[in-house]
Amino acid sequence: MTDSSTLDPEDRKIVTLARSARARNGVPEGAAVRDETGRTYVAATVALDSLKLSALRTAVAMAVASGATSLEAAAVVTEAETASEEDRAAVRDLGGAQTPVFLAGPDGTVRATVPAG
């Protein structure tokens, strides 16, 4: 377990944004990513009949659609114990294998930091 207070302020910010998206929308996951310029993209789980996306994949898609060419970090707030391979692959595609993915519980406590790769 990682004490969220020891995170870099910019990393703590994306965890907080992800937590807010989850709570505001009442969905299983919230996520946020930070691109190479410091811009952040925040998303929640998408669960439509015709479209299902995790919060993290949605945040990555928003970054790509906005012109981001790289990611510095990603965060997902969920009750799940780990980020799925598909989620980490989306981060890896844009950010590279070493891009950190912060996995936090609903209370915002970072349980793990894993590389996208």
Side-chain angles (χ1 to χ4, degrees):
M1 192 174 314
T2 303
D3 180 357
S4 296
S5 66
T6 62
L7 289 177
D8 172 275
E10 291 300 312
D11 294 337
R12 189 170 43 247
K13 175 183 171 183
I14 62 172
V15 171
T16 300
L17 290 169
R19 184 176 182 220
S20 296
R22 181 183 183 271
R24 179 177 53 252
N25 294 306
V27 293
E29 297 177 342
V33 298
R34 185 177 61 249
D35 74 9
E36 74 281 2
T37 67
R39 292 178 297 183
T40 56
Y41 306 89
V42 181
T45 306
V46 174
L48 301 173
D49 289 340
S50 63
L51 179 64
K52 302 209 183 310
L53 290 172
S54 72
L56 191 50
R57 281 180 269 171
T58 304
V60 170
M62 291 171 64
V64 171
S66 296
T69 59
S70 181
L71 293 179
E72 292 182 346
V76 62
V77 174
T78 181
E79 291 184 12
E81 293 299 315
T82 187
S84 73
E85 172 54 33
E86 294 86 0
D87 284 352
R88 291 190 344 270
V91 172
R92 185 172 57 244
D93 285 349
L94 190 57
Q98 296 307 312
T99 303
V101 178
F102 303 104
L103 182 66
D107 65 354
T109 300
V110 176
R111 297 188 306 248
T113 303
V114 296

